[in-house]
Amino acid sequence: MSLWSQIADLPLVAILRGLRPEDAETTGAALIDAGFRAIEVPLNSPDPFTSIARLVQRFGNRAVIGAGTVLTVGDVERLAETGAKLMVSPNTDPAVIVAAKAAGLYALPGFFTATEAFAALHAGADGLKLFPAETTTPAHVKALKAVLPPEIPVFAVGGVTPETMTPWIDAGAQGFGLGSALFKPGMAPGAVGDKARAFAAAWAALART
């Protein structure tokens, strides 16, 4: 089963940077209830592997759970031990991508150029994360999609809000990674749920057009 087949109905990846383990399950529940099916906890969060393990135990049969800001093969190995299924990185490191695939994880590496994109695909990436999207324009995605394999999903990550999704989709992006516009450390689960539903509604509206 591909990564895309599991999240195609709502291809939005929740990025829970700064999540604390004691908040993992309530925050995860708010996202799952809003329809999210992909959640990552960046490894520069407090005790991230504990949070990931709790999310996997509670929601692993309902969502693709994993880590972001994965920078080393050692990180990949620790991530696999939690039972997680998703490895997200901010950069293109073929060794990390190969390790993720060897461990049975979906690999969603960060890229910015065509060279990085094709290096990631050669290493086995399941999708591509354009990062940081806020420093470029949708025209960047459109140009890249002209040469990238059409079956490889491209996610725009960085600075995306419900109001700014349309031009990225029109340019060819197939999904988004959502950080501070969705979650900030200390947010109440209800507030996270409200933001998650706003993003889900914006996506649903785009899907109908």
Side-chain angles (χ1 to χ4, degrees), residues 65-81:
I65 309 295
T69 318
V70 178
L71 301 176
T72 70
V73 171
D75 289 340
V76 172
E77 293 169 350
R78 289 193 65 188
L79 178 61
E81 291 172 358

Side-chain angles (χ1 to χ4, degrees), residues 151-181:
E151 70 275 12
I152 298 297
V154 173
F155 296 77
V157 181
V160 177
T161 68
E163 297 75 26
T164 61
M165 295 165 72
T166 299
W168 292 102
I169 295 298
D170 290 345
Q174 286 113 312
F176 299 96
L178 309 173
S180 59

Side-chain angles (χ1 to χ4, degrees), residues 83-96:
K85 295 299 183 184
L86 177 64
M87 186 287 296
V88 185
S89 62
N91 62 328
T92 302
D93 185 332
V96 170

Side-chain angles (χ1 to χ4, degrees), residues 64-156:
V64 180
I65 309 295
T69 318
V70 178
L71 301 176
T72 70
V73 171
D75 289 340
V76 172
E77 293 169 350
R78 289 193 65 188
L79 178 61
E81 291 172 358
T82 69
K85 295 299 183 184
L86 177 64
M87 186 287 296
V88 185
S89 62
N91 62 328
T92 302
D93 185 332
V96 170
I97 298 168
V98 169
K101 298 310 299 175
L105 303 173
Y106 297 120
L108 188 60
F111 83 105
F112 201 78
T113 67
T115 298
E116 292 170 339
F118 281 102
L121 295 178
H122 182 73
D126 297 281
L128 297 170
K129 163 187 167 179
L130 178 65
F131 178 79
E134 66 260 51
T135 65
T136 187
T137 67
H140 188 73
V141 169
K142 185 175 182 179
L144 289 164
K145 290 293 290 185
V147 296
L148 290 172
E151 70 275 12
I152 298 297
V154 173
F155 296 77

